[in-house]
Amino acid sequence: QVHLMESGGGLVQPGGSLRLSCAASGVIARIETMGWYRQAPGKQRDLVATVTSGGKTDYADSVKGRFTISRDNFKSAVFLQMNSLKPEDTAVYYCNALAFDMGEQPYTFWGQGTQVTVSS
């Protein structure tokens, strides 16, 4: 089992910045991909950004050039630096991990979510 703990959400004005952090704990053979998803009220949960253990990143078009995902493989942590925030970035942000056990069975884990509100 892997437990994901997020931190760093809050209220910020348009144009401001926030940094989200997510730390994974527990016992699993390896964590391949870590990332962030978000869900606004009344909408589906959408991908924001992901990063593989090898450092390959993927971003939603809406955040390219504004958000940067990074990862500390040694600490099993992932970060999301969010700049030039817009009101439409307001959502609950969820940390996600794709992990594999010793038998290469895949597992998906989610954090509890952290609220990001962009408002003046």
Side-chain angles (χ1 to χ4, degrees), residues 5-46:
M5 178 63 72
E6 301 123 331
S7 61
L11 173 65
V12 64
Q13 292 186 346
S17 298
L18 281 176
R19 179 177 170 86
L20 304 183
S21 299
C22 173
S25 61
V27 179
I28 196 78
R30 64 185 179 93
I31 299 176
E32 173 55 29
T33 303
M34 298 188 77
W36 295 92
Y37 290 69
R38 66 186 182 187
Q39 187 168 19
K43 296 187 177 181
Q44 66 181 19
R45 189 175 297 187
D46 291 325

Side-chain angles (χ1 to χ4, degrees), residues 29 100-107:
F100 293 85
D101 63 15
M102 292 294 289
E104 287 295 300
Q105 181 74 26
Y107 296 87

Side-chain angles (χ1 to χ4, degrees), residues 1-81:
Q1 274 289 350
V2 172
H3 179 66
L4 301 176
M5 178 63 72
E6 301 123 331
S7 61
L11 173 65
V12 64
Q13 292 186 346
S17 298
L18 281 176
R19 179 177 170 86
L20 304 183
S21 299
C22 173
S25 61
V27 179
I28 196 78
R30 64 185 179 93
I31 299 176
E32 173 55 29
T33 303
M34 298 188 77
W36 295 92
Y37 290 69
R38 66 186 182 187
Q39 187 168 19
K43 296 187 177 181
Q44 66 181 19
R45 189 175 297 187
D46 291 325
L47 178 146
V48 176
T50 60
V51 57
T52 68
S53 59
K56 181 180 178 182
T57 59
D58 186 30
Y59 293 92
D61 288 342
S62 60
V63 307
K64 285 180 180 177
R66 300 188 298 122
F67 291 10
T68 302
I69 191 169
S70 59
R71 179 171 172 175
D72 184 332
N73 285 328
F74 182 75
K75 296 181 178 180
S76 296
V78 64
F79 311 95
L80 186 69
Q81 178 65 43

